[in-house]
Every structure is written in structure tokens, then in C-alpha cells.
Amino acid sequence: MSSQEVSLRRRRFALRFGGSTAEKKRSAPFRAHRPLSALSLCGKAGLAVLLFILATGVFSLLFMGDAHRVPSGDSLESPSLRHILGTDDLGIDIAAQLCRGAMVSVLVGLGAAVLAGAGGSALGMLAGYAGGWPDRLISGLCDVLTAIPQLPLMIVLGAFLGPSVRNIVFVVALLSWVGPARIARAKTLSMRREKFIVAAACYGASFSHIAAKHLAPALAPLVAASVLRIIGHAVVAEAGLTFLGLGDPTSKSWGMILNRSMSFGGIYFTDFWKWWVLPPLVALTMLVVSTAFIARDLEKFVNRKL
Amino acid sequence: MNDAVLEIRKMTVRYSGSAADAVRGVDLTLRPGECAGVIGESGSGKSSLALASLGLLRKRAEVEGSVLFKGVELNGLSESAMERYRWSRIAIIFQNGLDVLNPVIAVGEQIAECIRRHSGEGKAAAAEKTRRLLEMVGLRASWSDAYPHQLSGGMRQKALVAMALSCDPEVLLVDEPTMALDAVSKREIVELLLRLRAERGFAMLVISHELPVVSAMTSRVMVMYSGSVLEEGPTEALLKDPLHPYTRGLISSSPSVNPYRDMWGIPGEVVVAGEKQCPFFNRCTQRVDGCAGELPALKTVRDGRRVACIRDGIVTLLGGSGIDKTYGSGERSVAACVDCSLEVRAGEVCALIGESGSGKTTLAEILSGIARPDSGQVLFEGRPVRGNSETSKTGGIQIVFQDPLSATNEHLTIEETVREPLDILREGTKTERLRVAREALKNVQLPSDEDFLKRRCFMLSGGQRQRVAVARALVMRPKLLIADEISAMLDPSTAANMLRLLKGLQNSQGFAMLFVTHDLALAQKIADRVYVMRRGRIVEHGPTEDVLGAPKEEYTKLLMSGPGAVRSA
């Protein structure tokens, strides 16, 4: 068979079955196997930073032992080869704390975001699909949560529930499920009249079948973008609560480093703030900015598909 | 009752060496001057009935029951006694001209011989009578010297008519009078027989599988199937509104009854039924368990119509009555359905015709239970349709939607899509579901290999996705399939394939179909009956050829004068 014949056959096959030929791939780049190409430069940088932060966290967990909580030098050392970011007032290596803090921050962020994303989209789907009083109830809750100032509520809740990482995750999730819920409800409303959902309902499908089989896969990319934003939000919220003293004092999150450093009397009169206050702040900012970048790219991709 | 010229009672014919009866307990009454017909497929026992009543099967078969000619029992008479009735009182025109005539004797001589033998006239008188007979049937007297092979098929048939009438019989049995004749000869023979009957007043029993012939000649007709009579009634009513599924099958196999419609034979083969079983059981589309355990007797269903079916003939599957539905409220309210009533019978194709916005999709959704009517009732097999009560089980209603891209979820694989209803219902094991899904895909002429099953729906074209949607409906083995404009969004070729496929599946699997469309030509092509809908009202309904062929309502006329319809010249 000549190569021409082969390509002709392939094209015919593609015409008949709409198969995955080269032409098809080019026209639909997001279904291709290289999702990296979908990211902008900022997105790629964001992804790199995110991966780096994650890697330091994992590294600290695996190889750094107790360096983040046991003194390894004199107190308040300046940066040196031994302690690249110096030590704090107790002589504990700040770089090691920062690495461990990455772990805590990322965990809190991811935990809260996943919780809020999953719960929010489940509630949103229910509201959109069921309509009637469940819809009114859930939408009303969304409105109330949007109207209430978040920070005071968070502080009150954090204080009320007591200081622990788990509680912070819970509080942040509780306050940020509104976004995914609204997105899920809107998308569900628009999909509810799709005939495949009408057909499934005809066959007697329950809400859980329709949600799992038809709604969730379509919602996933939309909710993913909003979940990424919640990660950023959750990391800042955790840092904020911890900074205010509502965090778990035994944890070594970035917020806790900030809390300790900034409560060190007269830190701005010395040079210590350069390696004690600045690094966790920069790390926080970078984490938040990088998730924002990725979320922006993801939104673009999702919108284009719509 | 005794004004009957020929009466057959409980006739049963069994050919020697055959396990099954060729004729099973058939009753038939022929009044003087009446013209009755017997229709049925080949091998249904029509000819055996005629031959047996003339005592022509004595050597080959066992004939039970009685044949009364003006009250005289013929069955059981000796051969010589029979001779006195045969030909001079009851004559028969056989179905194959060339075999029946003796090839080495001239036609005229054969007729004269017949006259001499049965009426004992002299040679000259017989020859004279033969000439008159030949002229009467429209053959020149000079043909009397011709041998059978020198005559055309039509002429031979005329010669046979002349021979049958040679002794002025009171009853004429006509067995397939027009088989294998061209259209012109066919019409001549039919007209000839009708003219002669009017002139001479004999009673006639026409046996034919050609419905136009029967409908032109007879006033009453009997439908036979593997030896039993399935239906009986006035010819016109029976052909217009058949009661038995078999009769309907016969009619839809006959293009001349409705020339626009596609032809479809009755699927399946004749299987000899057991003693206690409906003979049509294995080919019937509306059989129930009871059909296998009982031989149905003919019973009167309505005025003059008798049918042998334990379900009283074709059942009404879906009936909607007085359906109202209004969308919106106040000044902007739209009455989508106003007092709509319609019914779909088992195994038939109904078309719901209307322009867009006429409310036909709303009506289809109400009938399937997706939408709730403001008032009115929908019954499916006597049960009210509420929500998904009839769509969520096998053997119920299924609906296929207009837009193929919306009807299937593009992210699911084809296997998941087709299997979905079974997964939801938890029908059978996983492998069984897969097998059913594969079979359904095969039925809609899609590949069913592993590679194809794992493909996602967005990789298919619109036509393919529509077929996947049909396959998904078919795994539920519906008794009624509602197809909502399924061809509207497909290109002509794909639409044609789709529709032939669907009609073929409908024919072979026997489900009923409600076909919602705005395409008149299409409705003419596939529908048995049509409903015309306008502004939420059903303005006209009836058999397709009546409503679309001779519309009564202004709106239907308007539709038919548009460019979409096929009109008779």
C-alpha cells in the first residue's frame, strides 16, 4: 500500500469516525496530550513556583528531621553558609522553618480548597437540579455568606473553635464554598435541559447518578479554576489567623513564623527583619500569586471551551 | 340463514403425509349474487379451501366439515354425484392458465367438450355456445381453433372464464384470477368478471393475494393465515382499518393501497403453530403470554367486523385525551396544547405533523411523561403515564430527541451511553448489559468492537450520535418509540439512512412509533396514520392516504400545496 493510500484511508476513517488525526489535534489543542502548551508564560512560572514550594515541603519532611523546631545554633545568627537565613531568637534555623511551613501552608490551602470545591459543587448541583426549596435555601445561604464580612467572622469562628490546623481548614472551607456552589448551580441550570440528562431522568436515574455521571465531569474544569483561587485565599487566611494568634502555636506555618518574628520587640531597628520577616512574606506572596496565575490560565481555557 | 348459495362449515383439510392442517375449521357463507374475497399470503390455505369445497382434493387430502350447496351436503357425495354439481352449479377458475388447459387440444374444443359433458347438448349446439361465450369474454370467435400456447396469458385467462361460465353456474370460485398478468390484462379480467357477474348474477368467491383486485371485486373479505381465518369484514372497512396485525402487515406490503408509503413485508416465517395457539403467534408484534395457550375464535368486535385475536385485534398502546398545556401566564401565555387527543396502536407508525411552534414537541413530551399536562390524561396500556413511570422500564415508552448532540453526553464513551439505561435500572449482570448494548449498536448499524465502544461521543458525527441515541432507546426494548424530529438536523442522506434504519427496526422488532415531524413527504412515506397539529390543536387525523391524499381541513390543504409534499397528479 502506498503512503498516499494510507493517508487517504486514514482521512476516510477520520471522516467516518471523527478519529484523532493530526488535523483534529491541532484544532483542539486542549484535548491534546501536552497541557503545558495551554499555559501562558506566567502560568508556567506559577506552576514552577508551586512545584518548588511543594518540593521544599516534601524535602523538609523527608530529610530535615527536627531542624525546624530544635535549636541548631546561637540565637539570632545572621545568614551564613550554615544557616542560610540565619536563626531565630531561640537559635532555630529559619530556612528549615520556612521549608516545613511550606508543607503546612500547602496542606491547609489544598485541604480547604478541596473541601470547599467538593462541598460547594455538590450543593450547587443539588440547588440547580432540584430547584424549588433546596435551591432557595442554598442560594439564600450563599447570599448571606457573601454579605457577611469574612475576616471578622473568620476570627470569631477561629477563636470559638480553638486553635488547630484542622479547624482553620474547616473555617476557611466553610467561608469559601460559595464560589464553587454558584458556578455549579449556574452550569447545572444550563445543563438541566440537555436531552441526555432528560433521557437519564426518563430512565429513572437518581440525582446521584446524574451528578456523578453527567454533571460533575462537565463541572470539573470550571470548579477547578475557582478551587485554585480558594487555595490562595486559604493560605492567606491561615497566615492571617495564625498571625493574629489564633493558629496552632506548635505548628510551623508561615503565619506562625511571621507571628513570632513580628512580635519580637524592635525587630525593625535591627537587620533581622530582612531574613526573619521578609522570607515568609515573600514565600506567601509567591504562592498566592502563582496559584492566581494558574487559575487565570485555567479560566481562559475553560471559557474558550465554552 | 338458508338463503346461502354456498355454505362451508368447520372445514378442515389435511393433506396426506402432512403433519399440519392446511385449512383449520373455516366457516364461510356465500349468498346469491354476493362477491366475497379471501386474502392471505401464499400457503395460507386459500386455494385448498376452494379445491376442497369442489371435492377436488379427495384423493390427496382428508376433508372434514360440511360444504352445503343450497342446503345439499356436497362433502361426502360420490364422485359421480359430485359431477352433477361441479361445473354446472359451482365452477372454478384455476390460478395457472397454461397448466389447466390441455396443450394438445384447441381452446374452443375444450370449452365445447365441457358443455357437452355437463349439459348433454349436441355437438353443433355446443360449438355455437362456445362461440358466444368467447365473444362474451371479449375473444374473437376465430381464437377457438387456437391451442393454449398460442394465446397470451390474458387471453388464456379469458378462455378459462368462458369455460367456467359455460354451464351457467350459480357459484364461481375464482382462484388468483390475475396472477402473473400485466396491469392492462389484470384490469380487463377484473372488469370482465364484474360485468359478467352483473349480467348473470352468480355468486363469486375471489381468492387472491392481490389486495387491489380483491378490493375492486368484493364486498366482503376474509383474511386467512396458515389455514385459519384471522379476520373478516366488509372489504372497504377492513382494508382501511385492519383489526388484526396480520391484515395490517398484508396491507403495508402492498404498494398499491398506499403508493407513497414504503413497502415492508411481514417479518418472520410462517411457523406451524400448535393446536392450542394463535397461528400468528410467532410473528405477532403485540403477543402476550396468553396468546400461546389458546386458539382464538372469530368474534364480532364491532359492526360486521370479526377478528380472531384474544386481545380483540390491534390494541391501543397509548391514548391521550383532552390534553391541555399552557406555558407562561397572563398576556404572554402560549397555549402549546389545546384539548389534544390521540392514540397510537401497537405496531403502527403514527406521524404527528405540524409546523414549528405548533406544540408537537410539547405533546410528545407530555405523552412520554417528561412534561406534565395542565389537564387531560395519558394512558399507556391502560396505565396512567406519570413522570418516568413508563420510560423507566423495559417494554415501555422511549423517546428519541431532535438534537443528536444534546441527546448524548459527549464526554461519555459510546458503551457508557448505550448501557446507561441498563446501568440505571440495574438490569442483569455487567456482561449481559454489554452484550445487549453491542446488539443494539449492531441493530443501528454501528460497529460494536472494543475500540468503537471505548470511543467518546464527541468523536462521532451527528448522524452517528443520533444512532447511538436510538440504540440507547432500543436497549429498553420499548413497545412505543417516540421520535421527535429526529431527522430535522441531519443532512438528507444521513436522514434517509436513519429513517430507513428506524423503519426497518420498527418493522422487525414490532414496536409502535410516534413520529413527530414537520416533513410531509416523510410522513407520507412511513406513517400508517397521521395527526395534523396546528397552534396546539389537532386539526385532522386519520389514515395517511386519506388525510394527506384528500385533506378536509384548510390547514392540511395548505400544507399539501406547499413544496414539501408529494401530490398525486
Side-chain angles (χ1 to χ4, degrees):
Chain A
M1 205 187 292
S2 73
S3 67
Q4 203 185 349
E5 240 178 288
V6 170
S7 76
L8 203 67
R9 282 186 139 213
R10 219 174 264 162
R11 200 167 311 148
R12 263 197 222 126
F13 184 78
L15 278 177
R16 274 177 62 199
F17 299 116
S20 57
T21 55
E23 292 97 322
K24 196 88 183 182
K25 261 183 198 164
R26 231 172 285 141
S27 68
F30 299 113
R31 296 216 174 93
H33 302 295
R34 291 179 300 145
L36 267 184
S37 63
L39 290 174
S40 66
L41 193 67
C42 289
K44 280 176 195 159
L47 193 65
V49 169
L50 199 65
L51 287 176
F52 174 75
I53 290 173
L54 206 61
T56 54
V58 173
F59 182 77
S60 110
L61 205 63
L62 292 178
F63 304 111
M64 285 175 157
D66 285 338
H68 64 284
R69 59 189 183 96
V70 177
S72 53
D74 289 341
S75 62
L76 299 173
E77 270 186 53
S78 299
S80 62
L81 274 178
R82 197 172 140 71
H83 303 287
I84 48 172
L85 288 175
T87 58
D88 67 3
D89 51 350
L90 298 175
I92 303 169
D93 187 90
I94 292 176
Q97 291 183 40
L98 210 56
C99 288
R100 178 54 68 113
M103 201 67 218
V104 177
S105 289
V106 168
L107 272 183
V108 168
L110 273 181
V114 168
L115 209 62
S121 24
L123 285 173
M125 285 190 285
L126 183 67
Y129 186 75
W133 68 264
D135 185 24
R136 282 200 296 278
L137 181 72
I138 292 166
S139 300
L141 266 178
C142 284
D143 291 343
V144 168
L145 277 176
T146 320
I148 290 179
Q150 302 260 311
L151 192 64
L153 185 64
M154 197 149 52
I155 292 168
V156 169
L157 275 173
F160 185 71
L161 291 171
S164 84
V165 174
R166 200 189 63 214
N167 285 345
I168 288 178
V169 168
F170 178 67
V171 168
V172 170
L174 199 68
L175 291 178
S176 46
W177 60 268
V178 173
R182 285 218 163 120
I183 292 169
R185 177 175 174 270
K187 179 75 180 162
T188 305
L189 276 179
S190 81
M191 281 176 75
R192 210 171 88 182
R193 298 271 159 245
E194 290 276 3
K195 296 301 182 199
F196 58 84
I197 291 187
V198 175
C202 274
Y203 301 132
S206 58
F207 168 69
S208 58
H209 173 94
I210 289 173
K213 204 91 185 168
H214 296 293
L215 295 175
L219 282 174
L222 288 169
V223 172
S226 121
V227 161
L228 271 174
R229 292 215 180 278
I230 298 175
I231 293 182
H233 177 73
V235 169
V236 173
E238 187 271 342
L241 283 179
T242 320
F243 174 73
L244 291 175
L246 295 168
D248 181 358
T250 61
S251 82
K252 279 294 173 212
S253 74
W254 292 339
M256 194 52 72
I257 304 175
L258 279 174
N259 178 330
R260 291 182 59 79
S261 64
M262 288 171 78
S263 60
F264 184 75
I267 187 165
Y268 298 113
F269 295 102
T270 64
D271 275 345
F272 302 150
W273 63 274
K274 287 181 190 162
W275 49 86
W276 201 3
V277 178
L278 219 47
L281 215 56
V282 169
L284 254 177
T285 313
M286 281 178 59
L287 178 59
V288 172
V289 168
S290 65
T291 56
F293 279 156
I294 299 170
R296 199 185 59 174
D297 278 4
L298 200 65
E299 262 166 22
K300 257 193 252 166
F301 156 51
V302 167
N303 284 335
R304 194 163 346 163
K305 237 189 93 195
L306 294 174
Chain B
M1 193 65 211
N2 261 340
D3 60 339
V5 63
L6 181 71
E7 197 176 350
I8 297 172
R9 280 196 204 143
K10 301 242 173 305
M11 177 184 278
T12 300
V13 176
R14 179 183 290 235
Y15 286 99
S16 34
S18 160
D21 296 341
V23 176
R24 302 211 258 172
V26 171
D27 293 312
L28 178 117
T29 311
L30 203 58
R31 290 181 184 81
E34 191 187 24
C35 188
V38 180
I39 56 175
E41 287 173 298
S42 316
S44 56
K46 315 184 292 284
S47 298
S48 304
L49 180 70
L51 295 174
S53 35
L54 274 179
L56 293 170
L57 290 177
R58 293 189 179 174
K59 291 185 186 130
R60 288 191 284 148
E62 215 171 287
V63 179
E64 282 167 28
S66 63
V67 180
L68 299 171
F69 176 77
K70 290 190 167 173
V72 180
E73 175 67 68
L74 297 187
N75 191 20
L77 280 186
S78 69
E79 190 60 26
S80 57
M82 192 71 206
E83 274 296 301
R84 271 182 296 159
Y85 288 95
R86 203 184 286 152
W87 226 251
S88 53
R89 317 299 293 272
I90 309 176
I92 183 165
I93 302 176
F94 292 105
Q95 58 177 291
N96 197 329
L98 200 56
D99 274 7
V100 173
L101 292 166
N102 189 334
V104 296
I105 304 176
V107 176
E109 209 173 310
Q110 292 191 46
I111 298 174
E113 153 84 24
C114 194
I115 296 170
R116 286 215 307 277
R117 203 164 82 208
H118 291 286
S119 57
E121 291 187 44
K123 205 165 186 177
E128 172 56 27
K129 195 171 182 188
T130 305
R131 205 160 33 247
R132 269 191 288 119
L133 280 170
L134 284 178
E135 269 161 16
M136 182 183 73
V137 299
L139 282 177
R140 268 181 289 128
S142 57
W143 283 110
S144 122
D145 297 333
Y147 289 97
H149 70 268
Q150 290 172 315
L151 300 178
S152 72
M155 291 159 94
R156 245 185 343 251
Q157 196 71 47
K158 286 177 186 169
L160 280 170
V161 173
M163 190 193 268
L165 296 178
S166 59
C167 302
D168 297 313
E170 284 161 76
V171 177
L172 185 62
L173 308 181
V174 190
D175 192 1
E176 300 284 5
T178 56
M179 197 161 75
L181 292 185
D182 63 274
V184 177
S185 320
K186 228 176 243 189
R187 204 170 63 213
E188 276 179 13
I189 295 289
V190 170
E191 281 169 2
L192 174 69
L193 285 169
L194 285 175
R195 178 168 60 83
L196 292 174
R197 189 178 72 93
E199 285 172 12
R200 307 184 149 215
F202 50 79
M204 194 154 63
L205 182 67
V206 180
I207 292 165
S208 179
H209 55 231
E210 288 177 88
L211 300 188
V213 172
V214 172
S215 79
M217 295 177 72
T218 65
S219 56
R220 211 153 51 81
V221 73
M222 221 166 76
V223 183
M224 277 186 79
Y225 181 81
S226 72
S228 305
V229 177
L230 296 186
E231 186 175 356
E232 190 190 11
T235 309
E236 198 184 339
L238 186 139
L239 292 185
K240 179 143 292 175
D241 179 25
L243 286 178
H244 200 281
Y246 175 68
T247 318
R248 183 176 61 199
L250 273 186
I251 291 168
S252 62
S253 322
S254 176
S256 44
V257 175
N258 179 357
Y260 303 122
R261 188 170 50 196
D262 244 356
M263 280 182 348
W264 292 93
I266 305 168
E269 289 297 317
V270 183
V271 173
V272 175
E275 287 291 312
K276 287 253 163 269
Q277 178 176 339
C278 175
F280 193 54
F281 176 73
N282 70 311
R283 289 169 91 181
C284 190
T285 55
Q286 56 166 25
R287 60 180 171 226
V288 292
D289 292 338
C291 293
E294 184 177 344
L295 178 66
L298 272 179
K299 58 186 163 191
T300 306
V301 177
R302 50 183 122 108
D303 44 317
R305 305 286 303 274
R306 300 204 297 158
V307 65
C309 178
I310 64 166
R311 306 190 72 186
D312 290 344
I314 299 166
V315 292
T316 298
L317 261 189
L318 181 80
S321 52
I323 295 167
D324 286 301
K325 177 82 180 173
T326 306
Y327 284 117
S329 59
E331 279 186 14
R332 283 196 302 172
S333 70
V334 178
C337 295
V338 183
D339 195 22
C340 289
S341 297
L342 101 180
E343 54 180 47
V344 182
R345 283 176 282 182
E348 79 175 353
V349 179
C350 253
L352 180 60
I353 306 174
E355 58 197 1
S356 46
S358 60
K360 49 193 193 315
T361 295
T362 303
L363 185 56
E365 286 185 350
I366 289 172
L367 291 175
S368 63
I370 293 174
R372 194 195 298 253
D374 295 339
S375 65
Q377 198 180 27
V378 184
L379 292 175
F380 180 75
E381 291 192 311
R383 298 183 298 270
V385 174
R386 282 203 196 91
N388 60 13
S389 66
E390 296 302 323
T391 48
S392 63
K393 62 184 176 200
T394 56
I397 304 175
Q398 286 304 314
I399 182 164
V400 180
F401 301 100
Q402 173 173 4
D403 181 0
L405 302 181
S406 159
T408 52
N409 187 348
E410 60 174 6
H411 298 296
L412 294 190
T413 65
I414 289 156
E415 180 191 330
E416 283 173 319
T417 305
V418 178
R419 224 183 47 197
E420 188 179 24
L422 300 177
D423 286 346
I424 291 171
L425 292 181
R426 301 203 171 82
E427 280 260 315
T429 61
K430 241 186 158 167
T431 40
E432 264 171 38
R433 288 179 208 165
L434 186 61
R435 187 186 55 75
V436 172
R438 274 179 203 239
E439 203 167 301
L441 281 172
K442 255 184 229 148
N443 276 334
V444 298
Q445 291 169 16
L446 283 173
S448 57
D449 55 283
E450 202 59 31
D451 180 48
F452 186 78
L453 284 175
K454 291 281 173 280
R455 234 176 255 270
R456 289 185 189 276
C457 284
F458 69 79
M459 295 166 88
L460 300 182
S461 70
Q464 287 172 321
R465 280 177 76 171
Q466 191 69 282
R467 275 187 273 169
V468 168
V470 171
R472 180 178 63 188
L474 288 181
V475 298
M476 300 284 275
R477 300 188 299 280
K479 281 187 185 150
L480 173 67
L481 187 72
I482 299 177
D484 185 6
E485 294 270 20
I486 55 165
S487 61
M489 293 176 81
L490 306 177
D491 67 88
S493 165
T494 313
N497 286 336
M498 186 72 227
L499 287 167
R500 283 199 71 78
L501 184 74
L502 207 57
K503 177 66 201 174
L505 286 170
Q506 189 271 332
N507 192 52
S508 62
Q509 309 202 348
F511 51 81
M513 194 152 76
L514 178 65
F515 196 83
V516 181
T517 184
H518 58 246
D519 192 335
L520 281 167
L522 208 63
Q524 280 176 304
K525 199 89 189 141
I526 65 170
D528 301 311
R529 291 191 306 122
V530 294
Y531 287 87
V532 182
M533 198 165 176
R534 187 193 193 200
R535 294 197 189 143
R537 289 176 188 275
I538 288 176
V539 292
E540 197 169 356
H541 67 93
T544 311
E545 60 271 26
D546 286 7
V547 173
L548 299 183
K552 290 186 190 68
E553 291 291 323
E554 279 309 312
Y555 179 65
T556 321
K557 282 182 192 159
L558 193 71
L559 279 180
M560 289 307 291
S561 62
V566 182
R567 287 176 297 274
S568 45

